[in-house]
């Protein structure tokens, strides 16, 4: 299988909790994955070349202070979780904060100069979603910068109230900035979006904290409320999936509490890293435009078709399935609402080489 299988070590799952508090949960995660977290920080060029230097400039304070303060006020528990992760891993807290807020901070770092070349290729993801009589599926490529290859793990967090969640987690970050599900049968996948400079606002709360919060949502309505009630400084695209109602929604957000909700139906819905229904100015992203165009031409009748689409490498410059040099598809997840399963595929999804399967049937009654 060549070098690809060498770099794709088995994705490890760590079950943690119930803990006496959030700090302890973070501490245990930090201790368990300290090597991976340290390795990620040591190899993450975006952290070293952009985030750290920016954080050391006086001009960063008007951005970082309100961002940190607002987020800590809104989500004290998840903030404590990160304090624990920093302590457990032995990585400086500032580095842990910078990687967790990287999307918000990078949006404000002035473009140009030799060191900012990686900024706009930070990470990309592709989703194909459909709900019709024969299938209800959300399939997602988790794409990220090369620094994340081999630096991910699964966290199964068990909370004091009996709720559990499973989140695919980037080393040193909150679960999950990628995809996850919980014992209410609620799941999500995420796509980064890139609002134009005039659409971003300093302050707000960090996206990693919002998605960590969705892992504790009790229903689709609750998840929507958790997204809508918050001021963000950039924006995000959430694919919310509820097995009990067999529904999938794509939610696009932007600063100033702007939000657009689209319910996925019989027409297969492909989402890359651009706004599709929330009308705001956005960065022209050739990668996303190319993937959208390619996906529009492909057959999307069966589950196999959807996996072939996510495994497509026809466009050499902007393939849907990414193998470098800068962006890599770390894995693919397939959420089947009828089987009530979440599967993780390690290699090209065309091969359907499933490494993990989780039941996502609701075990908890939503409140």
């Amino acid at each position: 299988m060549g070098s690809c299988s060498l770099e794709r070590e088995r994705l490890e799952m760590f079950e943690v909790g119930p803990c006496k508090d959030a700090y302890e949960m973070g501490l245990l995660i930090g201790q368990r994955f300290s090597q991976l977290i340290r390795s990620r920080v040591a190899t993450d060029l975006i952290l070293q070349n952009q985030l750290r230097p920016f954080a050391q400039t006086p001009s960063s304070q008007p951005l970082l202070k309100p961002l940190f303060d607002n987020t800590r006020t809104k989500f004290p528990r998840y903030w404590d979780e990160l304090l624990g992760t920093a302590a457990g891993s032995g990585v400086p807290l500032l580095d842990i904060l910078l990687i967790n807020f990287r999307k918000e901070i990078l949006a404000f770092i002035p473009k140009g100069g030799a060191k900012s070349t990686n900024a706009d290729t930070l990470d990309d993801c592709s989703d194909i979603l459909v709900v019709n009589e024969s299938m209800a599926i959300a399939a997602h490529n988790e794409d990220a910068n090369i620094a994340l290859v081999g630096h991910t793990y699964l966290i199964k967090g068990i909370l004091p109230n009996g709720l559990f969640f499973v989140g695919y987690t980037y080393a040193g970050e909150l679960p999950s900035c990628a995809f996850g599900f919980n014992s209410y049968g609620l799941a999500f996948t995420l796509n980064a979006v890139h609002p134009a400079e005039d659409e971003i606002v300093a302050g707000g709360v960090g996206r990693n904290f919002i998605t960590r919060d969705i892992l504790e949502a009790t229903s689709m309505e609750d998840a929507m409320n958790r997204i809508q009630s918050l001021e963000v400084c950039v924006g995000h695209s959430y694919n919310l999936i509820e097995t009990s109602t067999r529904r999938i929604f794509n939610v696009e957000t932007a600063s100033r509490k702007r939000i657009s909700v689209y319910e996925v139906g019989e027409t297969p819905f492909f989402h890359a890293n651009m706004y599709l229904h929330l009308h705001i100015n956005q960065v022209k992203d050739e990668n996303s435009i190319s993937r959208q165009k390619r996906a529009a031409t492909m057959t999307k009748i069966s589950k196999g078709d959807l996996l072939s689409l996510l495994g497509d490498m026809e466009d050499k410059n902007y393939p849907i399935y990414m193998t470098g040099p800068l962006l890599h598809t770390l894995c693919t997840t397939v959420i089947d609402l009828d089987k009530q399963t979440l599967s993780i595929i390690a290699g090209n999804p065309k091969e359907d080489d499933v490494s993990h399967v989780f039941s996502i049937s609701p075990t908890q009654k939503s409140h």
Side-chain angles (χ1 to χ4, degrees), residues 19-39:
C19 296
K20 69 173 187 287
D21 55 26
Y23 181 87
E24 184 184 41
M25 181 178 268
L27 184 75
L28 293 170
I29 293 169
Q31 289 171 340
R32 179 71 191 75
F33 293 109
S34 63
Q35 256 184 308
L36 268 192
I37 297 169
R38 287 162 179 260
S39 168

Side-chain angles (χ1 to χ4, degrees), residues 20 114 149 191 351:
K20 69 173 187 287
V149 174
N191 310 93
E351 312 295 329

Side-chain angles (χ1 to χ4, degrees), residues 212-267:
R212 170 68 183 82
D213 198 41
I214 301 173
L215 281 172
E216 300 193 13
T218 58
S219 65
M220 178 71 79
E221 188 184 9
D222 184 27
M224 293 267 196
N225 287 339
R226 288 172 191 240
I227 294 169
Q228 285 171 323
S229 64
L230 295 167
E231 176 60 85
V232 294
C233 63
V234 269
H236 216 13
S237 170
Y238 305 83
N239 303 300
L240 299 178
I241 299 138
E242 187 169 46
T243 54
S244 61
T245 54
R246 200 176 182 263
R247 296 177 88 180
I248 301 175
F249 290 88
N250 174 254
V251 182
E252 293 179 343
T253 67
S255 62
R256 300 189 283 278
K257 292 195 177 178
R258 288 171 293 173
I259 188 163
S260 174
V261 178
Y262 172 83
E263 181 163 9
V264 174
E266 290 187 11
T267 306

Side-chain angles (χ1 to χ4, degrees), residues 61 88 164 170 199 213 216 262 286 288 293 308:
Q61 287 318 298
F164 76 81
Y170 289 8
E199 300 281 11
D213 198 41
E216 300 193 13
Y262 172 83
E286 288 301 336
S288 285
K293 280 183 182 162
S308 290

Side-chain angles (χ1 to χ4, degrees), residues 2-195:
S3 64
C4 260
S5 58
L6 296 177
E7 68 189 20
R8 199 181 291 110
E9 291 167 21
R10 179 149 173 83
L11 186 63
E12 202 171 327
M13 181 154 115
F14 178 50
E15 189 172 307
V16 59
C19 296
K20 69 173 187 287
D21 55 26
Y23 181 87
E24 184 184 41
M25 181 178 268
L27 184 75
L28 293 170
I29 293 169
Q31 289 171 340
R32 179 71 191 75
F33 293 109
S34 63
Q35 256 184 308
L36 268 192
I37 297 169
R38 287 162 179 260
S39 168
R40 185 250 168 113
V41 166
T43 54
D44 191 329
L45 294 178
I46 290 172
L47 173 65
Q48 291 164 21
N49 295 341
Q50 294 175 73
L51 300 175
R52 269 193 208 140
F54 176 69
Q56 285 154 8
T57 63
S59 60
S60 70
Q61 287 318 298
L63 170 70
L64 296 184
K65 192 174 185 318
L67 186 59
F68 291 174
D69 289 349
N70 291 342
T71 304
R72 183 169 49 213
T73 302
K74 180 69 191 166
F75 294 120
R77 204 153 45 84
Y78 309 145
W79 189 272
D80 285 350
E81 207 174 296
L82 278 188
L83 295 181
T85 301
S89 62
V91 169
L93 176 61
L94 182 61
D95 282 349
I96 294 290
L97 293 177
L98 292 175
I99 58 176
N100 275 275
F101 285 99
R102 69 188 188 286
K103 304 255 183 81
E104 286 77 15
I105 299 168
L106 284 170
F108 288 89
I109 294 180
K111 299 289 180 280
K115 291 197 166 179
S116 72
T117 48
N118 283 2
D120 292 330
T121 47
L122 181 67
D123 51 6
D124 294 87
C125 296
S126 300
D127 278 76
I128 180 75
L129 314 161
V130 64
V131 179
N132 60 31
E133 282 181 12
S134 62
M135 61 179 175
I137 282 176
H140 166 90
N141 278 358
E142 183 58 31
D143 306 322
N145 186 282
I146 188 169
L148 275 309
V149 174
H151 291 116
T152 60
Y153 41 81
L154 291 164
I155 295 296
K156 179 176 182 178
I158 302 168
L159 302 175
N161 63 2
L163 171 80
F164 76 81
F165 63 79
V166 174
Y168 182 89
T169 306
Y170 289 8
E173 296 187 41
L174 288 168
S176 165
C177 66
F179 58 86
F181 71 93
N182 70 21
S183 44
Y184 290 105
L186 191 80
F188 64 78
T189 66
L190 304 166
N191 310 93
V193 283
H194 306 294

Side-chain angles (χ1 to χ4, degrees), residues 298 304 307-313 345 347-353:
M298 296 183 71
L307 293 178
S308 290
L309 187 159
L310 289 183
D312 185 70
M313 300 174 74
I345 298 171
N348 188 308
K350 284 182 186 177
E351 312 295 329
D352 204 8
D353 174 21

